[in-house]
Amino acid sequence: MERITRVSSRAPAVAPTLADVAERAGVSRQTVSNAVNNPDLLRGDTLARVQEAILELGYVPNRAARNLRTRASHLIGLRMSPVQEGTANAAMDRFVHSLVWTSREAGYHVLLFSGEGPDPLEGYDDLMRSTAVDAFVVTDTYLGNPQAAWLRERRAPFVAFGRPWDDDGAKHPWVDVDGAAGTELATTHLLDKGHTRIAWIGWRKDSFIGEDRRAGWSRALRERGHATTGLASRVEDTVWSGREASAVLLDEARPSAFVCASDTLAMGVLHTLAERGLHPGHDIAVVGFDDSQVAQVVHPGLTSVRQPLEEVAIAVVRSLEDLLATPSQVGEGLLLTPTLTVRGSS
Amino acid sequence: MERITRVSSRAPAVAPTLADVAERAGVSRQTVSNAVNNPDLLRGDTLARVQEAILELGYVPNRAARNLRTRASHLIGLRMSPVQEGTANAAMDRFVHSLVWTSREAGYHVLLFSGEGPDPLEGYDDLMRSTAVDAFVVTDTYLGNPQAAWLRERRAPFVAFGRPWDDDGAKHPWVDVDGAAGTELATTHLLDKGHTRIAWIGWRKDSFIGEDRRAGWSRALRERGHATTGLASRVEDTVWSGREASAVLLDEARPSAFVCASDTLAMGVLHTLAERGLHPGHDIAVVGFDDSQVAQVVHPGLTSVRQPLEEVAIAVVRSLEDLLATPSQVGEGLLLTPTLTVRGSS
DNA sequence: TTGAAAGCGCTAACAA
DNA sequence: TTGTTAGCGCTTTCAA
C-alpha cells in the first residue's frame, strides 16, 4: 500500500517552474528558490507552505537554468579508454562503479566521454570550454601525466587517479594506490609460506607503474636476504607474454612462486602450469594484481593484490569537492595501501 | 611543429560568449548563432568572418545556456547496477564502452547514475524531471520491464537493451540479442564435434533470459533427435552453483559436453573438471555465454557465445535519435544475433 | 541575408 | 524574513 499520495505522479504535460510554485504558495519566486537551496532563511510556516506546494506540483528545479545561473553543472567528466580484449584488466570499470556511487552522495553525476584515438587530450577540451562538466577525473596516467600540465594550463579543475610519476613538482591533487606495497605484501605472503625463490613477471621498463610494482617484489626479497637475480622478467601485458615468460623462468631459474604485475600475466603463468601438469597453489604459487573477476572465478582461485578502489573514489571525490570549493588551493597527493586477497593459487 | 595558431589556447580568464564573437566579427549575436547552427543561412563572406572570430576567440557555445533554451541536454542517462564480485559478468561494462563511443558520434554524452538500492526506478525520476538527460537507456530488464511502464507513464523517452519479456503489447523501442540463437549455435557446434549428450546449466525458471537461452539448447538437440531429459540443471548464477551442478550431472547423466547460460557457470564446470583431473576441450567440452574476459584468458580458453554489443549500442543510439526526433512514434524492437567464439574448451 | 526583441528558469545582489 | 530587479548565454520569432 502506497501511503504517500503523489499528486503529480502522472507527470503534467509541462513541468512546473519556480513561478508556478510561488504562485501556488503565495510567495515570490525567490522565496521558493530559498526554500530549495537555503531553507534556513525561511520562517517555519512559510517553508512548510512552500514545501507543500512543491510536493503538490511535483516541482524539480530545472538543471539547465540552474547550471546557467550558477555556472556549475554538477557533472564530473571521465574519459573511458577502450576495452582491452584478451586481458583481465577491468580495474577501470570497477573504479567507474565506485566513482558513480560516491559522486552521487556528493551531488554529482559522472559524464562519460571517449577520446577519439590514442591522444589522451582529445575530448577534454570541448567539454571544458562548453562548461559541460565542473571537473575531470583523470585516470590514464600510466605514461606520466601529459593531461595534467595541459589541463592545468587551461585552468580545468581535475583530480588524478594516479601519481604524477614524471613530475615531482606537480601541483594538482591526486590519489593513487601504492603498487610497491601491494607486491611487497604479495611477496612477503609467499615468503611466509616458505617460498624463497620467487620470480617476478612485470611490464616493460618504460612503465612507471610496472617499475613501482617491481620494486615491492625486490624490496621484500632483499629485506629477507633472498636473491632476485635472474628471477625477473619484463614483458608486455598479455596472457601470451606471461605464459612465455613463466616457461622460460621455470626452466632457467626454478622459482617456486611467481608474483605478477597483473592478473593478465598471472593467467599466463597458469597456462604454463596447466600445460606442464603443474598445480597452482600446490606445485607452484602464483599471485596476480588487481583482483579481477578472472582471479575470483578461475580454478583454484588466483591470489591477487586488490586496489581499494572504493576508497580511491571517495578520496577523489573529496578532493574534487575541496578543489571546487577553493579553486586556488594547492593539490595534495594521497597514497592508499592495497590489500592481498589470498586464494587457492598460493 | 604546430602549424595552426590557436590564439586562445591559454584559455582566457573568462570564456567568450556569442556577444564577444559578434562584436569582433561586426555582426549581431544572432548571426553568430546561425554561423554555428545554420551556416547555410549566411553569405559566404559573412560566415568566413564569423568563423575567423570564433577561432580567434576560441569560442565554444555554453552548454547550459543552450540546454536551457533548446530544452535538451544531449545527455543520455544510464543506470549502473552494482558490480557483481565473484562472477564473470561484465557485459554491462562492455556495453557502456560501446554506448559511450557510439553516442559521441551522434553528439551525445552518457551520464551515469546509480540506483540506491534494489529498486530499479530509483534515480530515474530526478534526472528526468530536472531535465538533466534527454533520454534513458534501460538495461536491467532481466526480470521483465518494470521501468518500461513507469517511464512510459511519465513520458520519459527511453530505449531498452532487453526485450519486454512480460509485455507483448509494449510499445517502446528495444534492442536485444537472441539468446536462444546463441545457445543453439553453441549446441550445434558441439553436435558437429560429435557430442550427443550435451548438458545444460542455466538459471532458475523465473529468469526470462535464462529460459530463452535454455530454449536454444533444447531446440538444437531436439532437431537432431537427441535427448534432453535429465541433462538440464537450473541454478543460481554463481561459480559455486555451476561447480555443484556439473558434478551432479557428470555423475548422473554422463554428458560429454556442457552448455551454460553464463561464463560464470561455465567456470564452475571448469572447477569440477579440474578437481576430477579432466581436461576441458579434451575430455569434456564446455561452452559459456558472454565472451567475458574470463573466457578469453582462462586456460585453455573458454568457448563462449558473444553478444554483438557494439551493434547493440549502434542500434540503441539510432533508436534514441528516432525517438527524440519523433516523440510520438511507436517504438520498434530489434533482435540481433550473437556469434560463437570457439576456444580450447571445445 | 541579417538584426532586434523576447524569454527559457533560475539565483545573486540588493531593497524593503 | 521576504520581495524586486537583473541577467546568466543562448535560440526562436519576427521584422527589416
Side-chain angles (χ1 to χ4, degrees):
Chain A
M1 282 288 282
E2 174 89 280
R3 296 290 190 106
I4 300 162
T5 307
R6 294 222 199 160
V7 174
S8 56
S9 72
R10 292 278 148 92
V14 59
T17 72
L18 262 193
D20 298 326
V21 178
E23 191 183 8
R24 177 138 194 154
V27 296
S28 74
R29 284 155 57 210
Q30 186 52 41
T31 300
V32 179
S33 175
N34 284 336
V36 173
N37 302 308
N38 302 88
D40 298 348
L41 294 179
L42 300 208
R43 216 173 40 210
D45 58 327
T46 318
L47 179 58
R49 215 164 66 246
V50 175
Q51 285 178 332
E52 196 186 315
I54 287 177
L55 230 55
E56 284 175 356
L57 259 35
Y59 168 74
V60 177
N62 179 304
R63 224 109 159 174
R66 176 179 278 178
N67 292 351
L68 175 59
R69 187 65 242 226
T70 62
R71 299 173 173 283
S73 65
H74 283 260
L75 253 34
I76 296 172
L78 178 70
R79 189 186 118 118
M80 285 214 115
S81 37
V83 226
Q84 294 180 283
E85 298 277 337
T87 71
N89 308 342
M92 174 69 166
D93 292 323
R94 243 185 79 211
F95 175 67
V96 172
H97 276 94
S98 300
L99 187 67
V100 168
W101 191 263
T102 312
S103 304
R104 193 183 60 80
E105 298 183 339
Y108 284 85
H109 284 289
V110 174
L111 183 147
L112 255 33
F113 65 102
S114 62
E116 305 220 20
D119 178 8
L121 298 180
E122 186 74 48
Y124 285 100
D125 201 38
D126 176 60
L127 286 172
M128 202 193 71
R129 304 171 82 148
S130 65
T131 65
V133 301
D134 290 347
F136 292 101
V137 173
V138 174
T139 58
D140 29 13
T141 65
Y142 40 83
L143 288 179
N145 278 51
Q147 307 89 321
W150 190 90
L151 288 169
R152 199 160 182 76
E153 188 182 328
R154 282 163 184 72
R155 294 200 186 82
F158 72 98
V159 175
F161 173 14
R163 271 163 279 186
W165 297 99
D166 49 356
D167 179 7
D168 290 338
K171 287 281 171 281
H172 67 265
W174 55 265
V175 180
D176 203 359
V177 175
D178 191 341
T183 46
E184 187 168 8
L185 208 59
T187 310
T188 303
H189 159 72
L190 293 170
L191 287 167
D192 289 345
K193 290 267 173 188
H195 296 275
T196 55
R197 290 192 66 73
I198 301 173
W200 169 256
I201 302 180
W203 300 326
R204 296 182 176 287
K205 220 164 186 168
D206 57 359
S207 161
F208 293 104
I209 299 175
E211 288 305 286
D212 183 46
R213 293 184 185 177
R214 186 182 189 282
W217 162 78
S218 61
R219 193 198 303 155
L221 285 179
R222 275 201 314 271
E223 266 176 17
R224 301 260 195 124
H226 296 294
T228 59
T229 318
L231 282 165
S233 183
R234 287 193 181 89
V235 297
E236 295 210 9
D237 191 39
T238 66
V239 174
W240 191 88
S241 299
R243 184 171 134 259
E244 293 295 298
S246 56
V248 171
L249 282 165
L250 275 177
D251 291 339
E252 298 183 353
R254 304 237 152 254
S256 68
F258 287 89
V259 177
C260 303
S262 73
D263 281 352
T264 304
L265 291 173
M267 287 307 295
V269 177
L270 294 192
H271 278 240
T272 295
L273 299 188
E275 281 158 11
R276 299 189 174 197
L278 296 171
H279 293 282
H282 195 253
D283 304 318
I284 301 274
V286 185
V287 181
F289 202 111
D290 259 357
D291 198 22
S292 61
Q293 292 188 314
V294 177
Q296 297 171 21
V297 305
V298 74
H299 181 87
L302 174 63
T303 296
S304 191
V305 176
R306 184 180 176 89
Q307 302 198 49
L309 298 184
E310 298 76 14
E311 289 175 48
V312 172
I314 291 169
V316 162
V317 171
R318 188 177 305 142
S319 199
L320 227 32
E321 290 181 297
D322 288 353
L323 192 67
L324 293 173
T326 324
S328 57
Q329 154 191 312
V330 170
E332 296 183 350
L334 176 65
L335 201 55
L336 299 173
T337 308
T339 56
L340 187 70
T341 307
V342 178
R343 297 201 180 82
S345 72
S346 70
Chain B
M1 284 288 281
E2 175 90 278
R3 296 292 190 106
I4 300 164
T5 307
R6 294 222 200 161
V7 175
S8 56
S9 72
R10 293 276 148 95
V14 58
T17 71
L18 263 191
D20 299 327
V21 178
E23 191 183 10
R24 177 140 196 153
V27 295
S28 74
R29 286 154 58 212
Q30 184 47 41
T31 300
V32 179
S33 175
N34 282 335
V36 174
N37 302 308
N38 304 90
D40 298 349
L41 293 179
L42 301 206
R43 219 173 39 210
D45 58 329
T46 316
L47 180 59
R49 214 164 68 247
V50 174
Q51 286 177 332
E52 197 186 315
I54 287 177
L55 230 56
E56 284 175 356
L57 260 34
Y59 169 74
V60 177
N62 178 304
R63 225 107 158 178
R66 177 178 276 179
N67 291 352
L68 175 59
R69 187 66 241 221
T70 61
R71 299 172 173 285
S73 64
H74 284 261
L75 250 36
I76 297 172
L78 178 70
R79 190 186 118 118
M80 285 214 115
S81 36
V83 226
Q84 294 180 283
E85 299 278 335
T87 70
N89 307 341
M92 175 67 166
D93 293 322
R94 243 185 78 212
F95 175 66
V96 172
H97 276 94
S98 300
L99 186 67
V100 169
W101 190 262
T102 312
S103 303
R104 194 184 59 81
E105 298 183 339
Y108 284 85
H109 284 290
V110 174
L111 182 146
L112 254 33
F113 65 103
S114 61
E116 306 221 19
D119 178 8
L121 299 180
E122 188 72 49
Y124 284 101
D125 200 38
D126 175 61
L127 287 171
M128 201 193 75
R129 305 172 80 153
S130 65
T131 65
V133 301
D134 290 349
F136 292 100
V137 173
V138 174
T139 58
D140 31 12
T141 65
Y142 39 84
L143 286 178
N145 276 52
Q147 306 89 320
W150 190 89
L151 288 169
R152 200 163 182 74
E153 189 183 325
R154 282 162 184 73
R155 295 199 186 83
F158 72 97
V159 175
F161 172 17
R163 272 163 277 185
W165 297 99
D166 49 355
D167 179 9
D168 291 338
K171 287 281 173 282
H172 66 264
W174 54 264
V175 179
D176 203 358
V177 175
D178 191 340
T183 46
E184 186 167 8
L185 208 57
T187 310
T188 304
H189 159 71
L190 292 170
L191 288 167
D192 289 345
K193 290 269 175 187
H195 296 276
T196 55
R197 289 191 67 73
I198 302 172
W200 168 257
I201 302 180
W203 300 326
R204 297 182 174 287
K205 220 163 186 169
D206 57 0
S207 160
F208 293 105
I209 299 174
E211 288 305 287
D212 183 45
R213 293 185 183 176
R214 185 181 190 283
W217 162 78
S218 62
R219 192 199 303 154
L221 285 178
R222 276 201 314 272
E223 266 175 16
R224 300 261 194 122
H226 295 293
T228 60
T229 317
L231 282 165
S233 183
R234 287 192 180 90
V235 298
E236 293 210 12
D237 191 38
T238 66
V239 175
W240 191 87
S241 298
R243 183 171 135 259
E244 292 296 295
S246 55
V248 171
L249 282 164
L250 275 177
D251 291 338
E252 298 182 352
R254 306 235 152 257
S256 67
F258 288 89
V259 177
C260 303
S262 74
D263 281 352
T264 304
L265 291 172
M267 288 307 294
V269 177
L270 294 192
H271 278 239
T272 295
L273 299 188
E275 280 157 11
R276 300 190 173 194
L278 296 171
H279 293 280
H282 194 253
D283 305 318
I284 302 275
V286 185
V287 182
F289 202 110
D290 259 356
D291 199 21
S292 61
Q293 292 188 312
V294 177
Q296 296 171 23
V297 304
V298 74
H299 180 87
L302 175 63
T303 296
S304 192
V305 176
R306 184 180 176 89
Q307 303 198 47
L309 298 184
E310 298 76 14
E311 289 175 47
V312 171
I314 291 170
V316 162
V317 171
R318 188 178 305 141
S319 200
L320 227 33
E321 288 181 298
D322 289 353
L323 193 66
L324 293 173
T326 324
S328 57
Q329 156 188 311
V330 170
E332 295 184 350
L334 176 65
L335 201 55
L336 298 173
T337 307
T339 56
L340 187 70
T341 307
V342 178
R343 297 201 181 84
S345 73
S346 70

